[in-house]
Amino acid sequence: MTTTGEDHAPALTGPWWWARWRSAVLDGSLAFVSALECAVEGIPFARDAGIPVAAGVVFGVLAGSVLVIRRKWPIAVVLVSIAITPAQMGFLMAIVGLYTLAASELPRRIIASLAGMSLVGTLIVTFVRVRQDMASGDVELGDWFVPFASISASLGVTAPPLLLGLYVGARRRLMESLRERADSLERELQLLAERAEERAEWARNEERTRIAREMHDVVAHRVSLMVVHAAALQAVARKDPEKAVRNAALVGDMGRQALTELREMLGVLRSGDGIRGRERAVPLAAVGAAAAAAASRAADEDGTGEGPCLSELDELIGQSAAAGMAVDFSVEGESRPYAPEVEQTAYRVVQEALTNVHKHAAGAKTHVRLAHRMSEIAMQVENEPPPEAASSARLPSGGNGLVGMKERVSALGGVFVSGPTDAGGFRVSAVIPAS
C-alpha cells in the first residue's frame, strides 16, 4: 500500500530552508565554486575599473556566494547575475540561477521576464566586448561577426539552462500530479472497500433477520399447537380416551412436520458440495434461501407447492379450531390470485396472529377477516378477552412475532398495525398492495 500525498512531502531534515543535508551540501559547493570563479574574474575587473585588486576579489566573492540561496530566492540570484554581467562575472551563477528559476513554481511571466533580461544583458555585454576586441585589432573578421557572436553567446548561456529547468520543473509537477492521483485513487478504493464491507455486514444482518423470521414462522405455529394439544391431551386423557387419541395423533403429525421443516433449514448449515463444501462456510444468503424455501413448504407435506397461499387459510383456521379455539372466519370481496409473495405474507400474518392467541389468550373467541379490495388485500385478526377460567398452556414468547410480521408487510410496501382493543382483547391488522 502506498502512502498518502502528505507522506510524500519531504521532511525538513536539513539546516535552515533545505529539505535534506545533501541539498545543502550541493548548494554550498556550487556557491563556493561560484565565489572562487567571481574572485578570479574580479582581478581583471578591478584593473579595468581602476580599483584595488583586493576590492575586486572581495566583490567577486560576495557576488558569487549569493548562489547559496538559489532554492530560497531564485529571483535574487538571477538579478545579481544580471547585475554583474557588465563586469564579466558570474558565468556559473547565471547558468545555475536560470535553471533554478525555470524549475521553480514561480509564474511563467516572471520566469520569461527575468530570462529575457538575462538574455539582453548577455547580448549587450558580448556585443560591446567583441566590438572592442575587433576595434583593438585582436579579432580581424567582418562586421557580421559581431552580431553573430553576440547572439550565439547570449543564447548559448541563456537557452540551455532555461529549457532544462522548464523540463525538470514540468516533470516534477507531472510526477506530483500522478502521485496525487494515485493517492486519491487509493483513498477512493479504501472508501469503496469500507462501503463494501458495510454493505456486506448489512447483508449479513439482513440474512440473519430473515433466517430468524423464517424459522419462527415455520416452527412457532406448529409447536404452539403441539403444546396446546398436549395440554388438552393431559386434561381429557382419562375422561375421553378417543379425543385423547386424536389429540395425540395431531401432536405427532405436527411434530413430524416441524422436524422436517427444521431439518431442511438446519441441513443447509451442514451440507456442502463434497469435500469442498465441508471446507468452505455456507453463505448466509444460502441459509436464508433455504429457510425461505422451507417456510414456503410449511403447508405442503409433500413439498411440491410454491408456498402457503390464501386458499390454505381454511386449513390453518381448522387446525386452530381443532386445538379448541373458537374462530370466526369471514371473507369480503371477490377472491382472486395475487403475487406469491403477497399471498405468503398474508398467510403468515394470519398464522402468527393465531399463534399469539394460543400463547396469550387461550380460549378467547377470535375473528379473522379477509378483504379483497381493488388494489390491495386487507386482513384482520382480533380476539376477545380470554375467559377467566381458561387454562393457560404457558407458551414462551420471544417477542419477535409482531416484529417479523411488520417487517414482512413493510417489505411489500404495506401497512401493519397491532395493539390492544378497548374491550380487552388484541387486534392485528395489515394492508398489502395487490401488486
Side-chain angles (χ1 to χ4, degrees):
M1 182 180 296
T2 60
T3 56
T4 60
E6 291 77 11
D7 296 334
H8 287 301
L12 296 177
T13 58
W16 296 334
W17 57 83
W18 285 284
R20 295 180 296 271
W21 275 98
R22 182 178 61 184
S23 301
V25 172
L26 175 61
D27 290 354
S29 301
L30 290 175
F32 175 77
V33 175
S34 177
L36 184 61
E37 175 203 351
C38 292
V40 174
E41 293 171 345
I43 297 175
F45 167 71
R47 292 174 181 172
D48 294 340
I51 60 175
V53 176
V57 172
V58 171
F59 174 75
V61 170
L62 293 178
S65 301
V66 176
L67 195 59
V68 76
I69 62 173
R70 70 182 185 95
R71 297 179 189 267
K72 186 70 172 178
W73 296 290
I75 296 178
V77 175
V78 175
L79 290 176
V80 171
S81 68
I82 295 173
I84 64 176
T85 299
Q88 297 183 355
M89 291 183 182
F91 178 76
L92 177 63
M93 181 189 301
I95 294 177
V96 176
L98 285 174
Y99 165 80
T100 306
L101 179 70
S104 66
E105 301 293 335
L106 293 173
R108 292 296 178 86
R109 61 179 183 275
I110 297 178
I111 297 175
S113 301
L114 293 176
M117 293 171 59
S118 178
L119 176 66
V120 172
T122 306
L123 178 64
I124 294 174
V125 171
T126 305
F127 183 86
V128 173
R129 185 67 177 178
V130 173
R131 191 173 182 83
Q132 289 177 352
D133 291 342
M134 291 186 65
S136 63
D138 295 339
V139 180
E140 296 180 359
L141 294 172
D143 293 338
W144 61 268
F145 181 74
V146 176
F148 173 77
S150 302
I151 295 174
S152 299
S154 59
L155 288 176
V157 173
T158 306
L162 182 66
L163 296 177
L164 180 61
L166 290 175
Y167 167 75
V168 172
R171 184 175 180 275
R172 181 186 303 154
R173 287 187 289 274
L174 176 61
M175 295 300 295
E176 291 177 354
S177 176
L178 293 176
R179 185 180 296 114
E180 290 177 357
R181 290 182 182 180
D183 295 338
S184 176
L185 179 60
E186 181 183 358
R187 287 191 292 269
E188 291 179 1
L189 291 176
Q190 291 177 350
L191 182 60
L192 290 176
E194 292 175 358
R195 290 181 177 176
E197 186 176 355
E198 292 176 358
R199 287 194 296 269
E201 182 63 26
W202 176 84
R204 286 192 291 268
N205 292 334
E206 286 294 315
E207 288 300 331
R208 292 190 186 99
T209 303
R210 181 184 177 189
I211 293 170
R213 183 171 61 242
E214 298 294 349
M215 293 185 68
H216 180 276
D217 292 340
V218 168
V219 179
H221 180 72
R222 298 192 187 280
V223 174
S224 299
L225 291 180
M226 289 171 59
V227 176
V228 172
H229 281 293
L233 177 63
Q234 183 180 5
V236 302
R238 296 182 180 178
K239 298 179 182 179
D240 192 347
E242 294 183 0
K243 187 175 182 180
V245 171
R246 290 195 300 270
N247 287 341
L250 287 174
V251 171
D253 291 340
M254 292 179 182
R256 282 188 291 272
Q257 293 175 7
L259 287 175
T260 301
E261 292 157 3
L262 275 177
R263 191 178 299 112
E264 290 177 355
M265 287 184 292
L266 301 180
V268 178
L269 296 174
R270 300 179 180 177
S271 65
D273 186 11
I275 300 177
R276 187 174 60 181
R278 291 191 294 270
E279 295 175 350
R280 184 175 55 191
V282 178
L284 280 174
V287 181
S296 299
R297 294 192 295 270
D300 295 325
E301 294 183 4
D302 54 6
T304 59
E306 294 183 355
C309 55
L310 294 177
S311 61
E312 300 173 4
L313 284 179
D314 291 333
E315 180 183 354
L316 178 67
I317 294 174
Q319 293 176 355
S320 295
M325 178 187 295
V327 187
D328 179 19
F329 181 45
S330 62
V331 180
E332 300 177 6
E334 184 178 355
S335 178
R336 64 183 188 274
Y338 298 94
E341 58 271 14
V342 174
E343 295 205 11
Q344 292 175 19
T345 301
Y347 181 92
R348 294 303 185 193
V349 169
V350 176
Q351 181 188 56
E352 179 60 28
L354 292 176
T355 302
N356 286 341
V357 175
H358 284 294
K359 289 181 179 180
H360 308 292
K365 185 175 181 180
T366 305
H367 304 275
V368 179
R369 301 180 181 89
L370 185 67
H372 299 277
R373 300 172 183 170
M374 182 175 299
S375 59
E376 61 188 16
I377 179 173
M379 63 229 61
Q380 183 181 88
V381 179
E382 179 180 352
N383 64 274
E384 299 177 358
E388 296 181 359
S391 60
S392 174
R394 296 188 298 275
L395 291 170
S397 176
N400 298 318
L402 295 177
V403 175
M405 284 191 285
K406 185 174 182 179
E407 291 176 351
R408 282 181 176 275
V409 174
S410 300
L412 298 179
V415 178
F416 178 84
V417 179
S418 63
T421 62
D422 296 337
F426 197 84
R427 180 187 299 119
V428 173
S429 303
V431 179
I432 305 174
S435 58

